[in-house]
Structures are given as structure tokens and as C-alpha cells.
Amino acid sequence: MDLHAYWQYQSNDVLTELGSTDAGLSSAEAAKRLAATASKKKEKPQLLKDIILFIAQFKSPLTLLLVAAVILSAFLGETSDVFIILFILLATGIMSFIQERHAGLAVEKLRSIIRSKVKLLRDNEATSVYSEEVVPGDIILFSAGDIIPADCLLLEENDLHVNEATLTGETYPAEKEIGILAADTGMSKRTNVLFEGTSIVSGSGKAVAVFTGKDTVFGTISASLSKPVEETAFEKGIRKFGYLLMQITIVLAIIILAVNIYFGRPLIDSLLFGLALAVGMAPELLPAIMTIAMSAGSKRMAKQKVIVKKLSSIQNLGEVNLFCSDKTGTLTEGVLKISGITGIDGNENATVKQLAYLNAFFETGFSNPMDDALKTLENVSADGYQKTGEIPYDFIRKRLTVAVTKDNANKLISKGAINNIVAICDKVLLADGTTASITDHQKAIDGLYLQYSSKGFRTIGVCYKDCAENAKFTKDDEAQMTFAGFVLLFDPMKEGVIDVIKELNNNGVQLKIITGDNKLVAAYVGEKIGLTNINVIAGSDIAKMSPEALVIQVQRANVFAEIEPQQKENIIKAFRKAGYTVAYMGDGINDVAAINAADVGISTNNAVDVAKEAADVVLLEKDLAVLNAGILEGRRTFLNTLKYIYTNTSATFGNMFSMAGASLILPFLPMLPQQILMTNFLTDFPYMAVAADNVDEDELKVPQKWNLKQLKNFMIVFGLHSSVFDYLTFFVLYKFFKTEQVFHTGWFIESILTELLILFVVRTHKSLLKSIPGKLLIALSALGLLITIALPFTPFAAQLGFVVPPFQLLGIIAGILILYVITADIIKVIFFKKTAI
């Protein structure tokens, strides 16, 4: 049997070929198959991953050029500095490797918390396993919201509809049914097949896994096509800025090399100096700093019960200034409670209660708070009833129907949104048990619905009709039914939610409610949580708007009610076009498109698989306080990454630029190549602590955005400021301390200390003394300072080209540094006040 066209065979034949049965595999057999599957996967061992990561630390073209130049000089006999330079490069690479490896492992550990599970049969019992543990022959049980983990042949189904847009591009759900198809049936027409990577929209089903992993259709496509990950705004800004610095660096290095050769200086020395200068100026630590900062942020966020699936989403989270969400479970407790069940006379009604209970008891779709609440009703029972059919809920009909039988009496019972229930009814159930035309009682129904909704109750309708025995029920059977009454549900407000919303507002984040509930209920909730000047837009109004009009209208409204699933995506896109950075939180099938459309898609760990898979961030608790903490962590990570960039564009860039200029006017090189690289190493060392640095509270309250213009201006202002003090140092060293070795030693000390000190200046927008740095940053900077001052006194100082500096020189350098820090701090405060976004 050729299983590559398994849809052409009887299900029993496929099960036999796979060595399985309708009851599923045994646990032992599944484990054996999983081990066999794992051995086929070309998973890189951890050691190989580590080696690749370590080599990647040296992939910078500038670093590779420097290594090549060093090797060349060794061949030419210039061996004195070779080992020193290679040692410094190796030490820098090891430091970066250790940090990135630690960050990567931490992120993988966090991601494992939110892995998707699949319900299947093992040992003839239903159990749950991780998606990647599914093997060919497993019998999988599906319900709405599940992501399909393998290519499967359908064994049973109940009104099963699947979203296959990821494979076929068709946005309308595909209806599935058991059967046999021709071997040459096209992929989009294989109605008896479930494909890996697609998701269940509605209904339920049972299927056997035929292919898994790379053997599936999705796996084959993934292996041949690699879609690049879309860059965030922050990543684009970083990349452009990195290219800018790299271009300046390369041009400067070439000019320096050419001029030094022109003046007749040794070729190898000039080449090494130019390349070392380029390495010193290049922001080679930027990728590592970003990874470390984001990893540290993700670990802090995990403690706040926020799991980040994609590290770069942390930067986007820091930019968020608008949060959109449904009210259920976010603003409210998310646990629906029954307030009452009434007939059309407004009084409690036992018949309606029994019908609602039966509908909830027998439905087999995805679990929801409404049915959970109805199942707890007292003085009702399903004893003696048998289920004979089901028409699952979908977001077009907005109702769910079950067929039951008892004592040869067969009934079809529906519950759902009031308007959608009334639409399929032609009669109403009266208090005395008789029925009447619904037309005569439409006003009474509308009046009660309005009354209940204005009090904040979520109100659903219940209807029924007698039906034939053992019929195959479809949506067409939902007609000519009898409206029985109302179920009144309420969802209590979450404790402390008003305070959290105020805190979000104080942190520059607006809240907008997007819900499927009617306008009255949505407005009621908005008032209860403290929204002012409530402006409600209904889905019916949005349907009449052009995309351009929607962009204008969404800015005026703060509550969106009676919203259809596809309209959520349109609302999010309109907000983004209006200039907002949007976070959207959802946990249902109908939220997936909006989650994908948002700058930051957020879901919860108990969400349906397809929503959790689409999200960038997953909350372990559906709580606004948790989200607020996550946004602040995003801003903290964003700001700490900027600290490295600001430092790199002020003292580091300024020092190297000044050194390049000095090499043109001095009769000797202002610093030897190994000294430049040692400067780079000692200043990079404390930068690693920037990721864990403290951030000023007032900066955390403002949404952060990438501002390349501000950064360029900062580079010019502080680069020039740094150069002024650099040339002052050059003048003192050359005028009063003539020797080349003393010049190198003095400039080395001054260069490193300015870079260490400027980090403490630019790490805050306030005055230096008004902001407390992190303890690790202070400790590593102090260590770098001690090493810098101690190096000229060590036994190997001569190999590095250092001499013991005169005491007077150290005093002059100290004076220059004090003046440098004071003026830099003043200029910084003025700069950020004038260039504030």
C-alpha cells in the first residue's frame, strides 16, 4: 500500500498498514516509534550548536581582516604583538559567547512552558501529549481551536470545519467528511484529510496520524522554503544605525591607512593600526548586548508570569501605547455566573432551565465559561436523555444546537445570541406551557433584552423544536423553532482592575474594549471600569465604513461592541495606520487574525492552541496587572539597549575618531594596535552589565520608540565633546611628556576611563547624581578601572607598550576626567530636554 496517497484507501486498511487500531497505540509502541522518528531527525547536538555560536562571535568582516593581518605579520616576522592581539580577540569572543549561550538556553527554557498539547488515545484511553510527541498511527481527538500536529486521515467527524489558509490560501473554512477519494485529488479537495499546521474552526473529529514532521505536506514546504522573520521597528533602526557606523568606520580606517603609508610609516604597523581602529569603533557588541538585554528582560518577565516567544517582541512591547482586549477574563473574572433563567414574561422558568442545561451538558465543542456555568445548575438533570446529534457553534450563526431523545420524544435545542436565536423561531413558549406566534411577542422579547443588557447582564436566548429520530442534523434544521426564554449571565469585575487601568494610563497606554457583546453591556462594563466619555461603535456601523473612515473613527471610540471576528483585524489595522503601537490580547479562534495584525499579539496559556501559536507573548495569568508589568519590562530592555548605543556613539566613537586624527599629525602612532584592542576589551567588559542596569522610573512611564534622528544628533554633539577633551589630552601628553611610551600609557588610561565614566553619564536623562546605577554595573566598571590603572605597573607592561606613568600625569588626567564628566552631564541634560519626543 502506498501511503503517500492514503486518502484513496478505506480507513481500516490505513490503520492496518500503520500497525494501529481504532483504540490507538499502546504507550510502549508510541515510545518506540517516537524514538525511531527522533533518530531520523537531523537535530544538531548541543556541542555543535555551541561551536557554531562561538565561531559566530568572530564573523565580523573587520575582525576577520584583523586576524588575517596579524597572521600575515607573523609570516613576515613581526611576531612580537601577534599573540597579544589574538589573545585579546579570543578573550572578547569568549566573553560574548558565554553571555549569548546563557541567554539562548534561558529563552528555550521559557518557551518550553507554553508548548502545545494534543488529545489522543493511548492504551485505549484519552490522554494528552506534546504536539511533537505524536507518531504515525496515533488516534487523535480534535475539537474547535486545536492545531493539527500531523497529516491525518479522518475517521469520525461532527460538522468539522478546518482553516487551511496556511496551505491553500483559502480563507473560508474547509468542510471535512469521512470517505474515499481518488489518488490524484488535489490538496484543497481532500475533504477526508487533515493537514499539519492547519486548525479546527468548528466541530469535532477523530483521525489517525499518517505522517509527522518533515514527511507532512507542511514539513515538505517548510524544508524547501524559509520565510525570513519580519524585523521589528527597533531591529530595523539598529540595523540601519549599525550600517551607518560601519560605513564611517571603514572609510576612516582606509583614509588612516593611506595617510600613514604616504608618510612612510611601516606597512604592517599601519595596517594593524587601521584595522584595530576599525574594530574599536565598530559596535561589534551590539548584537550580543541586544540578545543579553532581551534575554534578561524575558527572564524578569517570566517572573511576572509573562512568557515571550520571540525575543524582539520585548522591544515592541516597550513601544506599546494602545492596548485592545475583550472584557471577559481581562477586565472581568472570566467566570460566568447564572443570575436568572426566565421566560418571555420575565419570571423564572423551569422549562427554559432544563433546555439550557441539556444543551450545555451534551455539547462537545471547545470548553467555554457559559456552558461551565450552566452545567452547575441545580434541580435539573440529564438522566434518561441521550444525545442523537449536534450542530457545533460557529461565529457566523452564533448558536449551538444539540439533538436529544427521551422516552421516544426527540428535541432539537439551540442556545446563542438573542438575535440569532429569534431569527430561527416562528413561535414562543408562554408561561402556561402553550405556544403563540413570535410576531405577537417580539416587543416583549426586545424589551426584556434591552432591560437585561442595560443592567450589564450577558443575555442569551434558548429555543427548541420536536424533530425526527436518528436524523443527520445540519444547519438547515435550525428553523421553525420555538423561542423559550433567556439565560442571564454576569461576570464580576476583577478586583483592582480600575487601579491597574489607571496605572496603564499613567504609563502612557490607552485601553480600548473590543467585544462581541451588545452595545449596552459593553458600555456598562466601560463605565464600571472607569472609562470616561464613553463612545461606542457597533460592528454594524463599521461594516458601512470605508477603511479611511475607520482610521478616523477608531481614534474617537473607546468601546467596540457587537464586533464580528473579521472586524477585529480591521480595527487593529486602522489603529496602526493612525500611528498607534498596538497590543491585542485574545484567546479564542476568532482572535487569531487580530493577534497577527497587532504589533504585539498576546494570548494566555489556557487559550486555544491556534491563538497561543499566533501570539508573540503568552500570559500565564489573564491579568492586566501582569500585562502592565510586561510593558514596563519591555521599556526597561529597550532603554538598557539604548545605553550601550549612546555610550558607543559618544566616548568610544569620539576616542577612536580623535585617535585617527592624531595619527595624521603625530610623528608616531597615538596607540599601538594591541593597546586599541585592550581598550576595546576592557570597556566591553562592564557593558555586559548594562542589561541588568536600573532604569529611571520617569523614563519607564513613557512608551519608547526608536529615534534615529535623535541618535545621529547625539553622536555629533557628544562625539565632538569627547574629541575636545581627547585633543586636550594629546596636547598635554605631547607637550609635557615627550616620549612615545608615556604618551601611549597616558592616552590608554584616559581613553578607557572616559568610556567607563561616560556610561554612567548617558545611562540616565537626569543629572548623574540623581540616578542610581545597578550594583553589577558599578562593580564591573570599578574592576575595569582598577585593571586599567594597574596594567602599566605589571610585569608584562612592556610587551603591551606601557611604562609606569609619572605621578603628575595621573593628576592631570584626573583633572581632565572630572571636567569631562561635569561638562558631559550638563550637555546631556540640555540635549535630552531639547530633543525629547
Side-chain angles (χ1 to χ4, degrees):
M1 180 185 290
D2 180 16
L3 281 180
H4 287 92
Y6 56 91
W7 50 88
Q8 66 177 312
Y9 302 116
Q10 291 280 358
S11 58
N12 288 337
D13 295 335
V14 173
L15 285 169
T16 302
E17 183 68 18
L18 290 169
S20 183
T21 68
D22 194 50
L25 300 171
S26 67
S27 296
E29 178 62 23
K32 182 180 174 183
R33 294 188 183 191
L34 184 62
T37 306
S39 65
K40 292 179 183 178
K41 291 181 181 177
K42 297 178 181 179
E43 185 73 22
K44 293 177 185 173
Q46 186 60 46
L47 178 61
L48 181 58
K49 290 180 182 177
D50 289 343
I51 292 171
I52 293 170
L53 179 62
F54 180 71
I55 294 171
Q57 306 306 315
F58 307 96
K59 68 183 179 182
S60 163
L62 295 175
T63 303
L64 294 174
L65 276 174
L66 181 59
V67 171
V70 167
I71 294 170
L72 177 63
S73 68
F75 276 114
L76 295 175
E78 300 285 337
T79 58
S80 58
D81 302 328
V82 169
F83 293 109
I84 294 173
I85 292 174
L86 287 178
F87 172 77
I88 295 169
L89 282 173
L90 189 64
T92 305
I94 290 172
M95 180 174 64
S96 182
F97 162 75
I98 291 171
Q99 293 282 353
E100 280 203 59
R101 183 181 185 276
H102 180 69
L105 292 175
V107 171
E108 286 303 315
K109 187 176 179 182
L110 292 176
R111 283 179 181 161
S112 68
I113 296 173
I114 53 171
R115 285 191 295 170
S116 296
K117 284 194 168 186
V118 179
K119 191 175 181 181
L120 44 70
L121 295 177
R122 290 267 172 92
D123 302 315
N124 201 23
E125 290 184 2
T127 186
S128 293
V129 302
Y130 290 115
S131 298
E132 59 269 25
E133 294 175 357
V134 172
V135 296
D138 265 325
I139 304 299
I140 309 173
L141 307 174
F142 294 109
S143 59
D146 289 345
I147 292 178
I148 298 165
D151 283 359
C152 306
L153 180 67
L154 199 58
L155 302 177
E156 297 175 11
E157 61 84 22
N158 184 5
D159 201 51
L160 192 64
H161 287 77
V162 178
N163 182 349
E164 295 183 341
T166 51
L167 287 180
T168 65
E170 178 58 57
T171 55
Y172 197 79
E175 188 171 359
K176 297 293 179 177
E177 58 187 7
I178 56 176
I180 299 173
L181 300 171
D184 59 355
T185 303
M187 187 170 65
S188 63
K189 295 180 180 178
R190 294 174 198 165
T191 54
N192 61 347
V193 170
L194 303 178
F195 296 105
E196 183 204 10
T198 60
S199 57
I200 308 297
V201 175
S202 66
S204 58
K206 179 179 176 182
V208 58
V210 181
F211 293 114
T212 60
K214 292 182 179 178
D215 296 328
T216 65
V217 172
F218 193 79
T220 305
I221 295 171
S222 298
S224 59
L225 297 174
S226 180
K227 183 182 177 183
V229 179
E230 187 177 346
E231 285 184 313
T232 65
F234 186 84
E235 287 173 321
K236 287 177 184 175
I238 288 285
R239 179 171 51 80
K240 289 178 181 177
F241 179 67
Y243 285 154
L244 174 66
L245 281 188
M246 195 67 74
Q247 289 165 0
I248 295 172
T249 297
I250 292 171
V251 170
L252 203 56
I254 292 171
I255 292 172
I256 296 305
L257 178 62
V259 171
N260 275 286
I261 293 172
Y262 176 79
F263 282 126
R265 290 166 186 165
L267 175 63
I268 293 298
D269 286 351
S270 299
L271 183 63
L272 289 174
F273 175 76
L275 288 170
L277 199 64
V279 170
M281 279 193 290
E284 79 288 346
L285 260 192
L286 187 54
I289 291 289
M290 283 181 63
T291 301
I292 294 160
M294 290 188 290
S295 173
S298 70
K299 285 193 284 186
R300 288 194 299 267
M301 289 169 75
K303 291 179 182 177
Q304 304 282 358
K305 301 186 178 179
V306 180
I307 305 299
V308 178
K309 288 173 59 183
K310 181 185 174 188
L311 276 184
S312 57
S313 300
I314 295 177
Q315 309 288 10
N316 273 3
L317 205 53
E319 294 185 34
V320 166
N321 55 15
L322 179 67
F323 173 60
C324 298
S325 174
D326 192 355
K327 60 181 183 57
T328 306
T330 309
L331 308 176
T332 63
E333 291 291 347
V335 180
L336 289 174
K337 297 180 180 179
I338 308 293
S339 175
I341 298 179
T342 73
I344 65 163
D345 60 351
N347 296 319
E348 288 289 323
N349 190 297
T351 303
V352 182
K353 186 176 181 180
Q354 178 69 21
L355 291 170
Y357 177 80
L358 290 172
N359 181 283
F361 184 85
F362 286 112
E363 72 92 13
T364 56
F366 55 92
S367 178
N368 63 85
M370 184 192 305
D371 287 326
D372 291 342
L374 286 169
K375 288 173 186 176
T376 64
L377 286 172
E378 297 178 351
N379 301 320
V380 284
S381 172
D383 293 346
Y385 284 94
Q386 282 188 318
K387 178 181 173 183
T388 58
E390 180 176 354
I391 309 171
Y393 181 90
D394 66 53
F395 297 102
I396 298 170
R397 292 165 38 253
K398 292 186 179 179
R399 58 181 174 260
L400 180 144
T401 302
V402 297
V404 296
T405 183
K406 181 181 180 182
D407 300 332
N408 296 321
N410 304 291
K411 274 189 170 56
L412 211 58
I413 306 168
S414 294
K415 75 173 188 308
I418 291 291
N419 292 337
N420 299 66
I421 290 294
V422 170
I424 57 174
C425 296
D426 60 2
K427 294 185 288 293
V428 295
L429 177 67
L430 301 177
D432 59 4
T434 61
T435 60
S437 170
I438 195 169
T439 308
D440 299 333
H441 297 272
Q442 186 67 56
K443 283 187 178 180
I445 295 171
D446 293 342
L448 284 172
Y449 181 46
L450 189 68
Q451 177 187 326
Y452 297 147
S453 297
S454 62
K455 292 179 179 178
F457 291 118
R458 183 175 180 183
T459 309
I460 62 170
V462 179
C463 65
Y464 71 98
K465 76 172 182 180
D466 295 330
C467 62
E469 185 179 0
N470 297 326
K472 167 84 173 162
F473 297 105
T474 69
K475 297 168 188 174
D476 294 334
D477 292 304
E478 296 176 324
Q480 298 179 328
M481 301 184 76
T482 301
F483 185 84
F486 306 89
V487 177
L488 312 182
L489 303 124
F490 73 99
D491 189 0
M493 293 295 153
K494 270 194 176 174
E495 188 176 347
V497 71
I498 296 174
D499 293 333
V500 176
I501 291 170
K502 285 180 182 175
E503 195 173 339
L504 277 171
N505 284 327
N506 292 337
N507 292 332
V509 181
Q510 295 181 49
L511 171 69
K512 308 267 187 177
I513 299 173
I514 303 178
T515 179
D517 281 344
N518 68 64
K519 292 195 288 185
L520 292 170
V521 173
Y524 177 87
V525 172
E527 288 176 3
K528 284 292 183 183
I529 62 171
L531 293 184
T532 56
N533 301 318
I534 290 178
N535 184 2
V536 183
I537 292 183
S540 56
D541 299 323
I542 290 174
K544 301 170 187 174
M545 294 180 192
S546 66
E548 294 76 18
L550 184 60
V551 172
I552 296 169
Q553 291 300 323
V554 292
Q555 297 177 68
R556 297 173 181 170
N558 48 14
V559 176
F560 300 84
E562 301 170 18
I563 299 299
E564 302 290 340
Q566 70 275 14
Q567 291 178 327
K568 293 183 179 182
E569 179 185 10
N570 297 337
I571 292 168
I572 299 301
K573 287 181 176 178
F575 276 126
R576 292 186 67 184
K577 285 180 183 177
Y580 290 95
T581 302
V582 186
Y584 177 84
M585 183 155 76
D587 56 8
I589 306 166
N590 57 330
D591 293 309
V592 173
I595 288 172
N596 282 321
D599 293 283
V600 182
I602 303 170
S603 194
T604 57
N605 202 28
N606 60 353
V608 295
D609 289 345
V610 68
K612 199 160 57 173
E613 188 69 24
D616 303 303
V617 175
V618 177
L619 306 184
L620 298 185
E621 284 185 7
K622 195 171 182 181
D623 189 345
L624 275 187
V626 169
L627 176 68
N628 188 47
I631 289 173
L632 294 182
E633 281 300 340
R635 293 177 186 176
R636 183 174 283 108
T637 304
F638 189 106
L639 290 163
N640 279 339
T641 305
L642 283 183
K643 288 176 187 178
Y644 170 75
I645 297 171
Y646 282 138
T647 305
N648 202 80
T649 54
S650 51
T652 308
F653 190 80
N655 284 346
M656 298 299 173
F657 188 81
S658 300
M659 207 185 312
S663 70
L664 304 180
I665 55 178
L666 291 172
F668 51 82
L669 293 174
M671 198 181 280
L672 299 177
Q674 64 266 32
Q675 293 169 348
I676 295 173
L677 293 174
M678 181 60 78
T679 301
N680 203 33
F681 174 69
L682 287 175
T683 51
D684 282 352
F685 189 50
Y687 288 168
M688 291 295 184
V690 167
D693 189 27
N694 298 333
V695 176
D696 295 337
E697 287 298 320
D698 52 347
E699 289 186 58
L700 287 176
K701 292 188 178 298
V702 182
Q704 300 298 321
K705 279 190 177 290
W706 179 257
N707 189 341
L708 188 59
K709 182 180 178 182
Q710 185 190 59
L711 203 48
K712 286 179 179 177
N713 291 336
F714 185 91
M715 183 170 66
I716 294 169
V717 171
F718 282 85
L720 289 173
H721 173 264
S722 178
S723 292
V724 168
F725 283 88
D726 291 340
Y727 283 108
L728 175 61
T729 305
F730 290 156
F731 174 77
V732 171
L733 289 169
Y734 190 66
K735 182 76 175 174
F736 302 107
F737 305 93
K738 303 283 187 180
T739 66
E740 186 176 336
Q741 289 81 7
V742 173
F743 188 100
H744 288 162
T745 304
W747 172 234
F748 174 79
I749 293 171
E750 195 270 357
S751 178
I752 290 182
L753 296 189
T754 54
E755 290 192 42
L756 293 177
L757 290 171
I758 197 65
L759 175 55
F760 289 90
V761 173
V762 301
R763 60 167 294 279
T764 174
H765 291 188
K766 299 189 289 190
S767 176
L768 167 66
L769 300 176
K770 293 181 179 179
S771 179
I772 302 173
K775 292 179 181 178
L776 184 59
L777 181 60
I778 294 173
L780 290 182
S781 298
L783 181 61
L785 185 146
L786 290 173
I787 293 172
T788 301
I789 295 174
L791 268 177
F793 298 90
T794 58
F796 48 84
Q799 280 81 11
L800 291 169
F802 297 134
V803 294
V804 176
F807 181 75
Q808 300 96 314
L809 175 59
L810 293 176
I812 293 171
I813 289 175
I816 291 173
L817 289 173
I818 291 170
L819 188 60
Y820 172 75
V821 171
I822 292 172
T823 52
D825 199 39
I826 294 169
I827 293 171
K828 173 206 63 182
V829 173
I830 296 171
F831 176 86
F832 282 118
K833 279 184 179 177
K834 289 193 172 183
T835 61
I837 301 174

